[in-house]
Amino acid sequence: MNPSILRTDGPGRFGGYGGQFVPETLVPCLQELDEARLAAAADPSFAAELALLSADYAGRPTPLYRARRLEQAWAPRARLYLKREDLNHTGSHKINNCLGQILLAVRMGKTRIVAETGAGQHGVATATVCALAGLECVVYMGQVDVARQAPNVARMRLLGAQVVTVTAGSATLKDATSEAIRDWVTNVKGTHYIIGSTVGPHPYPTLVRDFQAVIGREARAQILAKEGRLPDRVIACVGGGSNALGIFSGFLDDPVGLFGVEAAGSGLGHSQALGRGRPGVLHGSYSYLMQDDEGQVIPAHSVAAGLDYPGVGPEHSHLKDSARADYRGVDDAAALAACAEVSRLEGIIPALESSHALAFCKEQLAKEDPHAAPLVIVNLSGRGDKDLAGLTEATP
Amino acid sequence: MSTLLTRTVNGLRDAGRTAVVPFLTAGYPDLQTSRRLLAAAAAAGCRLVEIGVPFSDPVADGPAIQLASRRALDAGMTLAGAVDLAGHAARELGLVPVLMGYLNPVLAYGPERFGAACAGAGVAGVIVPDLPLEEAAGLRALLLEHGVSLVDLVAPTTGPGRLAAYGRAATGFLYLVSTTGVTGAGVGQDIAGYAARVRTHCALPLYVGFGIGDAASAVRVAADADGVIIGSALQRLVAGAATPDAAVAAVGGFLQEVTAAVAGVHRDSG
Ligand SMILES: Cc1ncc(COP(=O)(O)O)c(C=O)c1O
């Protein structure tokens, strides 16, 4: 468990996980960000500005859609709802966080934004809000992801962002994140780092969760309005964990089962920091981590670029240890199959990341007592257009 | 508290000597050559040496040390191996070794076991670039129990309040990161003003590192510092050498040039 040399208290701690394990150069600007975040939270005009953009620019609230054809195919007695984050402007939940952070960056007087991206969804959302705010934007993306998510690279460039290809290490999200941190250390004065998930040093895990919590607030109100009761369970995929914490946070204090789905990958490897890792420090926080006996980070693997990360947000580590949430794995093949099935049955092409949550939903329903009639919400975190090249290879 | 590191750096300062501290990634390009590079440093008159513990994801490092870390890991270097190498440097070469490495390998090894191993090997100090003040208290206390200093880094962005806190907590020397940036990117401007600002909050010897690429910049920095730390430039020499012999000759020659140039610097601060 928590090695005795680490603090278990203080801000940004989730039951001993979290913290601020970064070079000293960055600590003062993390403190500045924390102050800006708290000032914004106390300022009604910030909330009003964000709500207006969320509605008129991003298209919130997103629908909670009852997927009847999936119910018929998977479990006729179940009631299955999809929280349609894919319908956000830019095609995923990532815009929720980016809108919030760009408003903070402007308030802090920053003129330049850096970000990392895996699937390219966070990169596109960042490039979008930078266009909106008129700020310079540099996005770091691993070479492997640049190749497999080409449409998003083109979108970022069209939006005016500079996309920097990272060739170091595994050339995926982990290495893009390291490179974004190095840029930030170098250009710290005028630059804000819009991290794309509930990872990194404090205050990011809290900040990103709070901007994603709109998913859970809406979903809770919507399910109560439609069904008159809370769901039995909520399912979301977990990369760094932002869409999952966004929806979980609406139900944490309720008797609702919370399921996070990590990528079990294939023979090439996996991305199950929570399922198969052990606590350690990467990219600024103490959390479950894929690492070898020497404490070297093991590269992740997943068909879904957005899940292809060896770490996970510290709050998930706490939810795991406290058994408030359950974390399971779904492999590449099952995710690809779910993507194809949901596309054909519902006319919705889910992102490969979200397809992991859908595949788990199906698997769990298949194991259930056929007389049970569970009420389930799956967070459909993004749309799959970006994955078309890989999907058409995989599905005949 | 008096540690081996405190005694060493104070001794150098009292003797009016500006320390030239090479940083060498353990196991780069291989263990055997690492040992020879350390011997070359000792022969060039270096007393303190930083031994880099390779890590898979070195966020504070630029391309030269990233590459060295990758190669060293591929060649099988570990934290235990780096401690052994430091022990060799202390025992066989009379050097005072300081380890520099990221936190996660220390956590994986076990902090208590690590502290004992450092003490056993004669490691004088440990630098952990991803462990800022607020997170450092536990490891600092543990290492001090073993007589080993945790060496703190401060940056140009560190304000007066934090400098004062570092001044109270630190032992040995204080590591001034010369610039906002990663290793190897070039020395920051106005080291004199920066060092003077830090000295108002901290009485420890100040060692400046990050981006000192040649004898001329070492001399410039030495005018305002008690020590200069040279890392990326050395790993670049190793990377550019065709053979281990050439690497040892290049690093040894470079360090001799720098120690000679720095020895001629007259310093009136500190
Ligand atoms: C559609 C989609 N869902 C999920 C994720 C995973 O991120 P997180 O776990 O932070 O929601 C990504 C990341 O790129 C994504 O694009």
Side-chain angles (χ1 to χ4, degrees):
Chain A
M1 268 309 301
N2 200 336
S4 58
I5 60 158
L6 300 185
R7 294 171 56 174
T8 52
D9 61 336
R13 240 70 189 191
F14 304 93
Y17 296 105
Q20 233 170 35
F21 298 94
V22 292
E24 168 64 21
T25 310
L26 292 178
V27 174
C29 68
L30 289 170
Q31 293 177 342
E32 178 195 7
L33 177 61
D34 202 29
E35 283 160 21
R37 161 184 88 90
L38 295 171
D43 177 357
S45 74
F46 183 88
E49 201 178 349
L50 182 56
L52 188 69
L53 281 174
S54 298
D56 294 354
Y57 189 73
R60 301 208 72 87
T62 58
L64 185 71
Y65 163 71
R66 183 165 169 207
R68 289 173 193 265
R69 301 242 302 149
L70 284 183
E71 289 173 2
Q72 276 164 25
W74 290 355
R77 298 178 61 91
R79 295 168 87 83
L80 172 55
Y81 284 84
L82 305 179
K83 179 60 174 162
R84 297 290 308 275
E85 291 301 300
D86 61 313
L87 292 178
N88 279 311
H89 179 43
T90 72
S92 81
H93 68 293
K94 299 286 181 184
I95 193 77
N96 302 329
N97 168 45
C98 288
L99 281 174
Q101 287 208 45
I102 201 78
L103 294 181
L104 281 181
V106 169
R107 285 185 171 218
M108 291 188 292
K110 305 289 181 181
T111 55
R112 179 174 176 273
I113 299 295
V114 293
E116 84 296 338
T117 197
Q121 289 301 107
H122 175 59
V124 166
T126 304
T128 297
V129 299
C130 286
L132 179 67
L135 301 190
E136 184 188 346
C137 180
V138 179
V139 179
Y140 290 90
M141 189 169 189
Q143 193 170 37
V144 171
D145 296 334
V146 167
R148 65 177 159 170
Q149 309 277 233
N152 276 343
V153 177
R155 288 166 83 196
M156 286 185 268
R157 295 199 166 126
L158 186 60
L159 290 160
Q162 181 194 348
V163 180
V164 181
T165 304
V166 177
T167 55
S170 54
T172 56
L173 183 52
K174 163 176 89 84
D175 310 285
T177 305
S178 295
E179 214 43 45
I181 293 173
R182 292 187 187 108
D183 180 313
W184 196 30
V185 169
T186 305
N187 302 295
V188 63
K189 227 172 149 22
T191 297
H192 174 63
Y193 176 24
I194 301 190
I195 208 165
S197 190
T198 44
V199 297
H202 176 69
Y204 282 111
T206 304
L207 177 78
V208 177
R209 178 204 62 203
D210 289 351
F211 288 139
Q212 292 294 0
V214 64
I215 305 172
R217 280 197 303 274
E218 285 178 9
R220 191 175 193 283
Q222 287 166 323
I223 197 78
L224 288 175
K226 286 175 194 288
E227 293 284 340
R229 71 178 183 100
L230 289 166
D232 296 299
R233 52 192 187 246
V234 170
I235 302 170
C237 67
V238 177
S242 69
N243 87 86
L245 280 176
I247 196 160
F248 287 1
S249 62
F251 302 95
L252 273 179
D253 300 328
D254 299 317
V256 173
L258 304 176
F259 293 89
V261 184
E262 295 185 299
S266 68
L268 298 173
H270 65 89
S271 302
Q272 291 177 269
L274 291 159
R276 296 161 74 175
R278 148 171 93 78
V281 168
L282 176 69
H283 295 149
S285 61
Y286 180 66
S287 192
Y288 278 86
L289 175 65
M290 292 167 54
Q291 56 179 315
D292 66 17
D293 290 344
E294 301 291 337
Q296 306 294 340
V297 179
I298 298 172
H301 168 79
S302 169
V303 69
L307 304 183
D308 199 340
Y309 184 69
V312 68
E315 190 167 359
H316 284 294
S317 293
H318 177 54
L319 291 175
K320 173 188 157 86
D321 283 6
S322 61
R324 176 60 191 97
D326 240 315
Y327 295 90
R328 309 291 179 86
V330 158
D331 67 16
D332 287 355
L336 285 164
C339 179
E341 189 175 11
V342 173
S343 298
R344 286 182 198 170
L345 286 177
E346 291 289 348
I348 295 170
I349 302 173
L352 285 180
E353 291 78 13
S354 325
S355 299
H356 285 73
L358 290 161
F360 175 71
C361 176
K362 175 180 179 175
E363 201 178 284
Q364 198 179 32
L365 287 171
K367 285 183 193 150
E368 198 148 34
D369 172 357
H371 300 294
L375 178 59
V376 182
I377 300 178
V378 176
N379 197 21
L380 210 156
S381 56
R383 67 178 187 221
D385 311 41
K386 67 187 175 62
D387 299 315
L388 285 183
L391 281 170
T392 38
E393 268 166 40
T395 48
Chain B
M1 160 150 187
S2 172
T3 63
L4 168 61
L5 188 64
T6 305
R7 293 190 293 279
T8 306
V9 297
N10 288 350
L12 288 168
R13 180 159 75 174
D14 295 347
R17 280 182 61 191
T18 303
V20 172
V21 185
F23 169 100
L24 293 162
T25 299
Y28 179 61
D30 55 67
L31 179 58
Q32 190 50 38
T33 311
S34 257
R35 291 195 172 151
R36 293 179 59 201
L37 292 169
L38 288 166
C46 299
R47 177 111 176 87
L48 283 156
V49 62
E50 260 185 56
I51 294 178
V53 183
F55 182 50
S56 52
D57 298 84
V59 294
D61 287 303
I65 295 177
Q66 285 178 47
L67 177 76
S69 300
R70 183 74 263 149
R71 290 284 148 76
L73 288 174
D74 290 346
M77 185 45 64
T78 60
L79 177 58
V83 174
D84 277 353
L85 182 65
H88 168 84
R91 268 190 329 272
E92 310 297 330
L93 304 170
L95 290 164
V96 178
V98 173
L99 286 181
M100 177 154 182
Y102 292 81
L103 182 60
N104 201 54
V106 174
L107 296 179
Y109 189 81
E112 178 56 48
R113 191 172 150 226
F114 174 66
C118 283
V123 169
V126 174
I127 308 173
V128 185
D130 56 349
L131 197 67
L133 183 70
E134 291 77 359
E135 305 289 359
L139 186 61
R140 185 191 309 285
L142 187 151
L143 289 174
L144 279 179
E145 280 172 28
H146 293 280
V148 177
S149 286
L150 181 74
V151 175
D152 295 279
L153 301 113
V154 300
T157 51
T158 309
R162 295 179 65 75
L163 284 176
Y166 274 117
R168 286 190 296 274
T171 58
F173 64 86
L174 196 62
Y175 190 138
L176 268 62
V177 175
S178 83
T179 180
T180 57
V182 293
T183 52
V187 187
Q189 303 297 309
D190 191 25
I191 296 296
Y194 176 24
R197 193 160 60 78
V198 177
R199 280 189 209 283
T200 63
H201 299 284
C202 179
L204 293 182
L206 306 185
Y207 283 35
V208 177
F210 279 45
I212 298 173
D214 53 27
S217 56
V219 164
R220 230 174 349 105
V221 169
D224 303 292
D226 301 287
V228 295
I229 300 166
I230 301 174
S232 294
L234 300 182
Q235 317 323 297
R236 276 194 291 265
L237 288 176
V238 174
T243 63
D245 284 350
V248 172
V251 167
F254 180 89
L255 289 174
Q256 267 164 15
E257 185 195 344
V258 174
T259 42
V262 166
V265 176
H266 171 71
R267 194 157 56 79
D268 47 25
S269 57

